[in-house]
Amino acid sequence: MRPLRIALLGAGRIGSFHAATLARTDGVGDILIADADPPRAAALAARTGAKALDSPEEAFEAGVDAVVIATATASHADLITRAARAGLPAFCEKPIAVDLPGTARALAEAERAGTLLQIGFQRRFDAGYRAAREALRAGRLGRVHTIRAVTSDPAPPPAEFLPLSGGLFRDCMVHDFDTVRWLTGREVTEVYARGTDAGAPAFREHGDVDTACALLTLDDGTLVSATATRYNGAGYDVRTELCGDRDQWAVGLDARTPLTSAEPTGPGGPEHPWPGFLERFESAYRAELDAFVRAVRGALDSPCPGREGLNALLIAEACELSRRENRPVAPAEPAAAAGLG
């Protein structure tokens, strides 16, 4: 079977990481890189032995076998649509779009075309999360009654990113929402969310929050607390605790977790805490692109289909509505408001 010819759209931080990963992935041959900033695409292509294109649009006329979308969020839905209409499998970093109508339209295009679409929820490919999922599904924890999810960035993103991000629930905590559904196989029936904007003025200016907490109720009664902040000076911290009546498991608790015990005999803070998401999930990012390549070849189904992006976004939308109106919200409510049934 000949090597795949893949177009990578986006040459920023995550695009650069994906370019290096694709260059080392079995089954990948030519890599064509395009970006809204052509010199940036050319520089990345030179570093990775790829070929630079003049624009993302050119990729759909370049005779590629698949596309990897790592561009700015606002362009995702259009590029997914272009890929579908060209009959091309696509991997896309989350989100599909920052709103429900845009997400639904892009999904409809991919489903109408019958093309493969994989969404970049990389935690599904992390060794710790996968082990916890297997343990939970095998019944080793017994009845799981409580789940606690933590996502903490070491510092806020640039102020100019905030109006484009969709907000803390859609940009950051959406990973936790997807992970909870994937780990448990259950659906979220109700959320209650709060947030604060006590940090930089840019959060208030754009109607966003820098710290948030959400209580999720699953369809079997399991309670989930999910917290996130843009201000965790100790380092990058992503953890999930699964608490059952037989055992408790923690994902993300290792020698680099930026957490200091207050106990006299407890561990101190790590010498080299995780600095960011690329370092913390390096292996997971590599595994998800390897899975995408194998799915393009027909060796497996998409491990994170496009609909999963919509399902997680519905929970994020419910949380944002709950935060604004200070009331419990079912994910079915924003779905109905968007005409999704």
Side-chain angles (χ1 to χ4, degrees):
M1 188 177 293
R2 67 173 178 81
L4 296 179
R5 183 175 167 88
I6 293 182
L8 170 64
L9 311 181
R13 180 169 56 164
I14 190 64
S16 297
F17 186 90
H18 287 335
T21 297
L22 287 169
R24 297 194 292 269
T25 300
D26 289 342
V28 175
D30 294 335
I31 302 169
L32 288 69
I33 301 176
D35 191 89
D37 179 357
R40 185 164 70 167
L44 178 58
R47 293 197 305 271
T48 56
K51 175 185 176 182
L53 301 175
D54 292 332
S55 69
E57 291 73 19
E58 188 179 339
F60 300 105
E61 302 172 357
V64 298
D65 299 302
V67 297
V68 171
I69 301 169
T71 54
T73 295
S75 65
H76 288 184
D78 178 64
L79 292 173
I80 289 172
T81 297
R82 286 173 176 263
R85 291 178 178 176
L88 293 173
F91 171 92
C92 185
E93 285 296 337
K94 65 83 192 168
I96 294 172
V98 294
D99 61 8
L100 291 173
T103 299
R105 285 193 296 270
L107 282 176
E109 290 282 356
E111 291 172 357
R112 187 178 301 116
T115 52
L116 170 74
L117 175 60
Q118 180 177 327
I119 303 303
F121 283 129
Q122 86 283 355
R123 294 186 194 180
R124 293 181 176 221
F125 300 87
D126 176 76
Y129 278 103
R130 294 181 74 86
R133 183 177 189 263
E134 291 172 6
L136 188 155
R137 298 295 183 92
R140 294 174 60 182
L141 283 68
R143 181 183 66 85
V144 174
H145 48 75
T146 308
I147 298 175
R148 306 182 189 98
V150 175
T151 296
S152 301
D153 291 335
E160 58 269 22
F161 172 76
L162 295 179
L164 307 174
S165 71
L168 189 63
F169 293 111
R170 300 183 188 95
D171 173 59
C172 181
M173 296 178 74
V174 72
H175 281 286
D176 296 297
F177 304 150
D178 175 70
T179 300
V180 165
R181 294 183 65 254
W182 177 75
L183 283 170
T184 64
R186 315 302 307 194
E187 296 296 340
V188 175
T189 59
E190 184 180 84
V191 310
Y192 185 74
R194 300 289 287 168
T196 62
D197 58 5
F203 289 100
R204 293 184 290 281
E205 292 169 4
H206 297 296
D208 196 3
V209 294
D210 57 68
T211 301
C213 179
L215 173 64
L216 316 178
T217 302
L218 304 189
D219 58 14
D220 64 348
T222 301
L223 297 179
V224 181
S225 66
T227 63
T229 185
R230 301 292 196 183
Y231 288 96
N232 194 55
Y236 181 74
D237 187 10
V238 169
R239 282 175 288 120
T240 299
E241 298 175 4
L242 302 168
C243 307
D245 58 10
R246 292 184 189 171
D247 202 356
Q248 296 188 120
W249 279 49
V251 181
L253 186 60
D254 60 20
R256 299 189 68 180
T257 302
L259 190 66
T260 299
S261 173
E263 301 300 328
T265 58
E271 184 178 356
H272 300 291
W274 294 112
F277 64 90
L278 285 178
E279 295 83 4
R280 165 66 178 84
F281 289 109
E282 179 179 0
S283 296
Y285 279 115
R286 299 190 193 286
E288 72 174 353
L289 280 186
D290 178 72
F292 174 64
V293 168
R294 288 187 289 127
V296 171
R297 289 186 171 279
L300 74 165
D301 294 331
S302 173
C304 190
R307 282 279 158 185
E308 299 296 80
L310 175 62
N311 291 331
L313 181 59
L314 282 169
I315 301 169
E317 292 286 342
C319 285
E320 183 59 31
L321 182 59
S322 174
R323 178 186 75 84
R324 292 199 311 267
E325 299 188 358
N326 191 25
R327 64 179 177 87
V329 175
E333 184 176 336
L340 302 180

